Amino acid sequence: MAISTVDLQAAAGAAAPTPKPARRQKFRFITNTKTLIGLIILGFYVLLAIFGPMIAPYDPDARGDVLQSPPTSAHWFGTTHLGQDIFSQVLAGARGVVYVGLLAGLVATALAVIIGVSSGYLANTGGEALSALSNVFLVIPALPLIIIVASILPTVSNTIIGLVIGLTSWAWGARVLRAQTLSLRGRDYVDAAKATGESTWRIIFFELLPNLTAVIASGFVGTVIFAVLSEITLAFIGVADPTVWNWGTILFWAQSQQALAQGAWWWFVPAGLAIAVLGTALSLINFGIDEIVNPRLRNAGRIKGKSVRMRIGFTPVLGKENR
Amino acid sequence: MSYLLRRIVFYVFTAWAAITINFFLPRLMPGDPVQALIAKEQGQLSTDAVHSLYVLFGLDKQQPLWQQYVDYWGQLLHGDLGLSFTFFPTPVSEVISSSLPWTLILVGVTTVCSFMLGTGLGVLAGWRRGSWVDLVLPVTTFISSVPYFWFGLIMIELLAGPNSFFPSSGGYDPGVVPGWDIDFIGSAVQHSLLPALTILISSMSGWILSMRNMMVTVSSEDYITVAHAKGLSDRRVMLSYAARNALLPNVSGFALSLGLIVGGTLLVEIVFSFPGVGFQLFQAVGAKDYPLMQGIFLIITLSVLAANFIADLAYLVLDPRTRKEG
């Protein structure tokens, strides 16, 4: 950090105007519009996951008399070939989707932090081996691996699917964290901490991790997006238990009952839109985090200096705000 | 040269790891997985299928694990991936080799197209930021969050139909005999258009977003200002100064994206009943055809490794720093 002019003046004993005490901006990420919108939508989905199954107007499994009807006032999203209410199925499915997404995100992030930070901080063969391990997992295509593991397992509950996805998708986070740790390790403040005799664990937990928060958060959100899509996919191709409702299960039944050929668009459009909006919300949160980490992305508008047209005999002077 | 050598060692190691995972996965299952499967299928498995399951899980002979592992490698090097039991007694390698060309062409063409188009659009979106081009952002964000297969369903609903030019399923007209003639190739291309378009649109948005962000980051570097000050044309600064440097992370990000794109492609194939590896994997999952599933996983992984290696070669050409080291 450069020494500010205020410090210099103070050091010189000049009568500097007393600067306002710098206030640490807590929750700065909430002031970012993208993050805010994303968090609001995500909050709505979490509420759906908690209360959705309770407020569903019908039992999602119950067969009705109205077979495969388009949306009506009684059935907002229409019905299936058995007369099941699709609106209730979407509501009931939210819980599984959010649960698996969060579980896989937590497992993968924990692994990524352990493997990424230790491989970045420990500059020995152990660190290199961990880095090689994460590179291997990064290149092996995750989705086919998840499909194989999930279909070999004798029972597939939501928890098991979340664990399988989490255990196979930590590599990207680990790689990013390793790169960031490598760059932090050489900073002066870490050297200072070592010199004062802080233990390795204290340095990792109290000096490094707080500075990695943004990277960890963005890795977590990214993994949740991936986990939700993978879970939906598993359900869609019929690897997951088709009696447990999630949005992929709805699409599985729609596909296997030829909803498309019969023009039953209401059967697969709501579930897909629900996935897409959830994914968009998570991406928005990640863009917000990106902008906090990389200030150059923050300015949404056109930067003034960039649009300066160069002419002969005219020397543009770029203002400070362009730096 | 050392860069290239390191990469080759890495890919050989990864291929070994993938093959080893493939060997151990069925053997790590608790209990007697074959009995569990037979119970699960309630006697619907044929005796042939049961036998090929025992072979796969390594339960057919009382051998130590390392001996099985050596045998497995021996079989693999002869191209023997076991017997598929949906297509019993066809070997898995034969089943896969009939579907692999379909997938390779579909994924290859669409991935290259989407990388070029997406990167190009990303360059423009990053350079002209603050204008109407920023509208691209919310749209691409939304599209990149849509599952590939659902997008495929929507495409079928909107564009395919009884009287439409686009067929909704299959790889070629049922009336055409596969062969290298105009009729067959024309029909195959016609059937591939919609799946290809689906993958193209879905995968392109990721490239646009990452390239845009890199362009934005790069365009505030000092050397861009210097290039402007030298009086170079805007176009030249954009392409030769900003885009050239912004491209590098996009190429190295290829590794992660390729796995995702391949995963997405498998699903698009399922939706379109396209006769590729993905559709076969879907059938194998439905029929609990483990030998076929594992063979497909192995082939997909090896193909992805090969594609990554090509991306590394491209990186070698684009980034002079990698060549200097050795």
Side-chain angles (χ1 to χ4, degrees), chain B residues 262-279:
Chain B
V262 168
T265 309
L266 301 181
L267 293 163
V268 170
E269 286 183 3
I270 296 171
V271 170
F272 286 94
S273 309
F274 192 78
V277 175
F279 188 52

Side-chain angles (χ1 to χ4, degrees), chain A residues 233-258:
Chain A
T233 304
L234 286 183
F236 174 68
I237 63 175
V239 173
D241 186 353
T243 57
V244 177
W245 287 108
N246 75 39
W247 301 326
T249 323
I250 299 174
L251 295 173
F252 168 77
W253 287 112
Q255 169 84 353
S256 61
Q257 297 300 325
Q258 309 278 325

Side-chain angles (χ1 to χ4, degrees), chain A residues 71-106:
Chain A
T72 57
S73 57
H75 301 279
W76 288 2
F77 291 167
T79 57
T80 69
H81 65 299
L82 297 174
Q84 297 155 324
D85 181 48
I86 294 176
F87 181 58
S88 305
Q89 292 181 348
V90 172
L91 285 179
R95 184 175 286 179
V97 173
V98 172
Y99 171 69
V100 171
L102 292 182
L103 176 68
L106 284 176

Side-chain angles (χ1 to χ4, degrees), chain A residues 318-323:
Chain A
L318 296 179
K320 211 175 179 184
E321 69 274 10
N322 301 316
R323 297 296 155 113

Side-chain angles (χ1 to χ4, degrees), chain A residues 135 139 148 151-152 154 226 233 239 251 255 260 268-269 272 276 279-280 287 294 296 299 303 306 310 318, chain B residues 10 13 29 40 127 129 141-142 145 149-150 153 156 217 220-221 225 228 260 267 285 290 293 305 308:
Chain A
N135 280 335
V139 181
I148 304 248
S151 54
I152 284 183
F226 176 75
T233 304
V239 173
L251 295 173
Q255 169 84 353
L260 210 55
F268 56 86
V269 167
T280 310
F287 291 161
N294 183 354
R296 284 170 180 176
N299 207 335
I303 302 172
K306 225 184 65 174
M310 306 294 164
L318 296 179
Chain B
F10 169 71
F13 177 72
M29 303 309 305
K40 202 168 167 184
W127 198 245
R129 133 171 109 120
T141 309
F142 183 76
S145 313
F149 64 89
W150 187 71
L153 289 173
I156 296 177
T217 309
S220 51
E221 292 285 350
T225 314
H228 272 301
L260 291 181
L267 293 163
V285 166
Y290 292 101
M293 274 156 60
L305 288 186
N308 268 310

Side-chain angles (χ1 to χ4, degrees), chain B residues 18-224:
Chain B
I19 290 170
T20 308
I21 290 176
N22 217 9
F23 170 78
F24 279 108
L25 264 186
R27 285 172 177 80
L28 284 179
M29 303 309 305
D32 185 344
V34 181
Q35 285 305 325
L37 276 173
I38 294 171
K40 202 168 167 184
E41 294 299 301
Q42 293 164 353
Q44 288 177 14
L45 286 174
S46 66
T47 45
D48 292 333
V50 172
H51 178 69
S52 80
L53 273 179
Y54 272 110
V55 174
L56 173 80
F57 286 95
L59 297 169
D60 57 329
K61 39 203 165 185
Q62 296 301 317
Q63 276 179 342
L65 205 57
W66 63 268
Q67 181 67 44
Q68 290 179 27
Y69 187 62
V70 172
D71 286 353
Y72 175 75
W73 266 98
Q75 286 176 356
L76 210 59
L77 293 177
H78 287 100
D80 179 3
L81 294 169
L83 299 180
S84 155
F85 52 82
T86 20
F87 304 95
F88 202 85
T90 321
V92 167
S93 49
E94 226 169 87
V95 177
I96 294 178
S97 65
S98 69
S99 61
L100 193 61
W102 291 96
T103 302
L104 282 185
I105 293 174
L106 182 68
V107 179
V109 172
T110 48
T111 308
V112 170
C113 285
S114 88
F115 181 76
M116 302 225 166
L117 270 174
T119 309
L121 287 176
V123 168
L124 283 178
W127 198 245
R128 306 244 172 274
R129 133 171 109 120
S131 61
W132 61 270
V133 186
D134 274 0
L135 278 179
V136 147
L137 283 183
V139 176
T140 47
T141 309
F142 183 76
I143 291 178
S144 63
S145 313
V146 170
Y148 282 44
F149 64 89
W150 187 71
F151 197 65
L153 289 173
I154 297 294
M155 294 288 268
I156 296 177
E157 171 81 15
L158 292 181
L159 293 179
N163 301 317
S164 162
F165 170 74
F166 296 111
S168 66
S169 71
Y172 50 89
D173 264 341
V176 185
V177 184
W180 289 110
D181 50 28
I182 290 293
D183 278 353
F184 173 70
I185 293 176
S187 170
V189 168
Q190 193 188 354
H191 279 75
S192 312
L193 279 178
L194 217 45
L197 202 62
T198 307
I199 303 167
L200 192 66
I201 295 177
S202 303
S203 60
M204 203 167 70
S205 47
W207 300 122
I208 297 180
L209 285 175
S210 66
M211 192 63 188
R212 177 208 177 255
N213 280 359
M214 273 318 293
M215 281 297 280
V216 169
T217 309
V218 164
S219 62
S220 51
E221 292 285 350
D222 285 342
Y223 58 78
I224 302 292

Side-chain angles (χ1 to χ4, degrees), chain A residues 265-307:
Chain A
W265 55 268
W266 58 89
W267 201 341
F268 56 86
V269 167
L273 278 183
I275 301 164
V277 172
L278 176 60
T280 310
L282 291 167
S283 309
L284 282 176
I285 296 177
N286 244 358
F287 291 161
I289 298 176
D290 268 355
E291 287 180 2
I292 291 170
V293 177
N294 183 354
R296 284 170 180 176
L297 293 173
R298 209 175 289 168
N299 207 335
R302 177 179 278 265
I303 302 172
K304 271 186 208 154
K306 225 184 65 174
S307 58

